[in-house]
Amino acid sequence: MEPNLNQAVQQVKELAQDNGLWTPGDVIVVAVSGGPDSVALLHILSHIAREAEAGLELVVAHVNHGFRPEESAVEADFVRQLTSSYDWPFELAEFDVPLYMKEHGMGGQEAARNLRYDFLFRVARKYGAGSVALAHHGDDQAETILMKLIRGSGLTGLGGMRMKRKEKNVELIRPLLRMYKTDLVRICEESGLRFVTDSSNLINKYTRNAIRLDVLPFLGQYNGQLVPSLNRMAIIAESEDDFMNVAAEEQMERLVSRDRSGNLNLSCSSLAGLHVALQRRLIKLILTYLPLNTEESDFAKVEAVRHGALQEHPTTWRIDLGGGSFCRREYDTLSFLAQQDAGNEGVFQCLVEVLPAVVPVPGTGRILHIRQLQRTRLPEAMKPLSKDEALFDADELSCPLTVRTRLPGDTLRVAGLGGSKKVKDIFIDDKVPPSSRDRIPLVVDAAGRILWIPGIRRSDAAWVRADTETVIAMSWEAEDGNAGLVMGGDGYS
């Protein structure tokens, strides 16, 4: 083998081993455009594939995008003949990208990429290939980093293209990412390999072309090693980005919970305890679980959520994240919801005419148990253990009872206050999140008196006294909890 080719083969083999690009016996789809980069890639991989210890099987895939009909047809025929010289299977796709752009309202680059990658994934499935090899090299990486930098990317963007990345259960691998264009052209020339030149690469109306043709040469005046420098930065940024991703995943597992509705919840005070870089990364990670219809979370959204969460005074607010998702703060809880609240779902109401009764309350994951019991012990043994329990003198209640959600103007006579208080104000005082208030049940008697807001407040009605004969016992329990009221003693039968 030629010296440069021999070095390239060895470099790619070492890179593949260090990064786990393939294992012996793998089938790899090689995307070949016909340019010097992809021709060199096919040549290098073919040398490696023929080695006994590698045993790789290659499949060559070529895409005619339909932008330059005559030129593209020549390129497709060239790649077909090149493939036959290596005796690998060949797959060709021909698309009308301009028509696809018009039908889907996309730009040319995005449309071409979508069609190209869909085709490559189909070829991989057809041949049982676990990976698709792409011919991106160090110069491409430098262009990518500058594009990301111009757009204001963070650490992830500055890491550039990854050596290996999984998409749709297929690994996209870039074995040439540590090599440069001049190396690949030299390999082609020394090996006597023909290649084609895409004339569209010389038109600087495309951003990537303008960066390659104009920006990099201009900046190169100030740093003769600009492209290698940008690649070194990408290597550093990629490893540090990986570190931050791991740290964010750890905090996600430790601090973020998912409720029954699928919403992701985070304590604002817990978020405040993290370094600002980790705050941003955690929020960004959470947003990836929502259908935002964007590849990357917008920095402005991340910062809006972060600043809102770090406000010193408890407050409630809502931020539209797009795609039907939003973030909501209620006191110390930050919630990320995949879709907007359905709005007022109507008043829940259940008439309780026969005791004992079990009343599941929609949207709460809890059940209200109501029983009628005969008193058999001293009143000291009959005390609720928490706000999730309440006792009433049955003879002082007007039955039947009703369990319902709140209505406008609801008031409750508060025990010890000597007067009434709006249910709305009680919720505010107890810091009940606004999103939960319309689901919390109220127990009301036939006279219209609100007797109890389970878990929050009891009214001053129907106290159990020394001469009480029959008690109405209520308990507010989780659906998977044990039924029945737990009391300070066994004073009920």
Side-chain angles (χ1 to χ4, degrees):
M1 281 192 292
E2 298 80 1
N4 286 306
L5 175 59
N6 185 52
Q7 292 174 9
V9 168
Q10 187 60 34
Q11 183 178 350
V12 169
K13 287 168 62 176
E14 292 174 358
L15 203 67
Q17 183 174 1
D18 293 343
N19 293 273
L21 299 189
W22 57 70
T23 56
D26 279 0
V27 178
I28 302 174
V29 175
V30 186
V32 179
S33 67
D37 317 331
S38 59
V39 168
L41 173 64
L42 178 60
H43 195 57
I44 293 169
L45 291 183
S46 294
H47 272 281
I48 295 173
R50 303 302 190 194
E51 297 178 356
E53 64 270 20
L56 300 176
E57 293 292 329
L58 306 183
V59 178
V60 176
H62 176 78
V63 178
N64 179 345
H65 296 99
F67 284 122
R68 302 163 288 112
E70 294 184 6
E71 192 175 338
S72 296
V74 172
E75 292 171 356
D77 188 56
F78 167 78
V79 176
R80 187 193 304 273
Q81 293 181 35
L82 176 67
T83 304
S84 66
S85 69
Y86 293 101
D87 199 25
W88 300 121
F90 175 73
E91 293 287 336
L92 171 66
E94 296 181 303
F95 299 117
D96 187 342
V97 176
L99 177 61
Y100 184 85
M101 292 164 54
K102 184 177 180 181
E103 291 177 344
H104 294 80
M106 292 182 178
Q109 299 298 306
E110 181 185 9
R113 185 192 187 283
N114 286 353
L115 291 170
R116 180 169 63 252
Y117 277 83
D118 283 345
F119 166 65
L120 293 173
F121 293 141
R122 289 199 305 273
V123 173
R125 288 192 294 270
K126 177 180 177 180
Y127 287 88
S131 58
V132 172
L134 305 171
H136 296 126
H137 48 74
D139 296 84
D140 295 323
Q141 182 75 301
E143 294 164 15
T144 298
I145 294 166
L146 276 182
M147 289 174 65
K148 298 283 188 180
L149 190 62
I150 290 170
R151 294 170 183 169
S153 179
L155 195 60
T156 301
L158 296 182
M161 296 179 287
R162 295 296 179 112
M163 185 78 67
K164 179 174 70 171
R165 179 175 65 84
K166 178 163 285 190
E167 186 173 335
K168 295 185 178 179
N169 294 319
V170 175
E171 294 281 5
L172 299 176
I173 61 174
R174 297 180 170 90
L176 306 183
L177 204 55
R178 299 291 183 260
M179 301 175 68
Y180 297 101
K181 182 85 170 185
T182 53
D183 301 322
L184 301 176
V185 171
R186 186 179 299 113
I187 287 171
C188 289
E189 293 174 345
E190 292 178 354
S191 302
L193 299 172
R194 293 172 50 241
F195 55 83
V196 297
T197 301
D198 185 343
S199 61
S200 65
N201 288 336
L202 303 177
I203 302 173
N204 64 3
K205 72 174 184 178
Y206 301 117
T207 302
R208 181 175 287 276
N209 288 1
I211 288 176
R212 180 174 63 255
L213 299 173
D214 301 329
V215 178
L216 277 170
F218 175 77
L219 295 177
Q221 299 176 85
Y222 305 97
N223 181 357
Q225 294 295 310
L226 177 62
V227 170
S229 296
L230 290 172
N231 275 266
R232 286 195 298 273
M233 183 180 73
I235 294 171
I236 295 170
E238 179 182 338
S239 59
E240 294 186 0
D241 184 53
D242 288 341
F243 175 82
M244 289 297 295
N245 283 336
V246 171
E249 291 282 2
E250 291 174 350
Q251 296 303 324
M252 179 92 173
E253 184 173 346
R254 186 173 73 91
L255 302 178
V256 179
S257 62
R258 188 183 293 272
D259 62 25
R260 289 175 170 270
S261 300
N263 304 322
L264 297 170
N265 301 310
L266 168 67
S267 163
C268 294
S269 54
S270 296
L271 181 69
L274 303 178
H275 187 281
V276 61
L278 197 48
Q279 292 172 2
R280 291 191 180 110
R281 188 59 68 106
L282 178 57
I283 293 170
K284 182 179 178 182
L285 176 61
I286 293 172
L287 296 186
T288 64
Y289 286 81
L290 305 177
L292 301 181
N293 299 323
T294 56
E295 290 188 6
E296 292 188 8
S297 301
D298 184 77
F299 176 76
K301 291 178 182 176
V302 172
E303 284 299 273
V305 171
R306 193 176 71 85
H307 285 300
L310 300 181
Q311 290 176 345
E312 293 184 6
H313 302 291
T315 184
T316 60
W317 48 253
R318 176 178 297 191
I319 296 174
D320 186 353
L321 299 172
S325 300
F326 68 98
C327 177
R328 179 184 67 211
R329 177 176 179 175
E330 293 176 328
Y331 302 109
D332 188 53
T333 301
L334 204 62
S335 298
F336 297 83
L337 300 93
Q339 60 184 4
Q340 293 273 357
D341 288 337
N344 187 2
E345 300 177 355
V347 176
F348 166 73
Q349 183 167 303
C350 178
L351 188 65
V352 180
E353 297 183 286
V354 178
L355 299 179
V358 177
V359 183
V361 180
T364 64
R366 299 177 74 92
I367 295 173
L368 189 64
H369 292 270
I370 306 176
R371 295 180 293 157
Q372 181 171 300
L373 306 169
Q374 298 301 314
R375 180 167 150 187
T376 59
R377 295 286 182 90
L378 296 174
E380 286 75 14
M382 299 184 297
K383 294 180 180 180
L385 294 179
S386 73
K387 290 184 177 181
D388 288 338
E389 302 169 350
L391 305 174
F392 298 89
D393 188 324
D395 294 333
E396 293 188 18
L397 299 182
S398 299
C399 293
L401 303 177
T402 298
V403 179
R404 64 167 174 81
T405 47
R406 65 172 179 162
L407 294 172
D410 273 343
T411 61
L412 176 141
R413 286 188 59 84
V414 180
L417 185 63
S420 297
K421 190 169 186 175
K422 291 182 179 179
V423 170
K424 175 183 177 181
D425 292 337
I426 293 175
F427 284 159
I428 292 173
D429 290 345
D430 280 58
K431 292 184 170 52
V432 177
S435 60
S436 302
R437 294 172 190 173
D438 288 329
R439 294 195 297 269
I440 294 177
L442 313 179
V443 181
V444 185
D445 73 356
R449 295 182 299 175
I450 297 175
L451 305 176
W452 187 38
I453 306 176
I456 297 176
R457 198 70 57 86
R458 186 203 194 280
S459 75
D460 65 355
W463 289 106
V464 174
R465 306 180 188 282
D467 57 352
T468 296
E469 298 292 336
T470 306
V471 174
I472 299 293
M474 306 181 192
S475 61
W476 180 230
E477 304 171 6
E479 285 182 349
D480 54 358
N482 296 321
L485 192 67
V486 180
M487 291 293 162
D490 56 354
Y492 296 94
S493 61

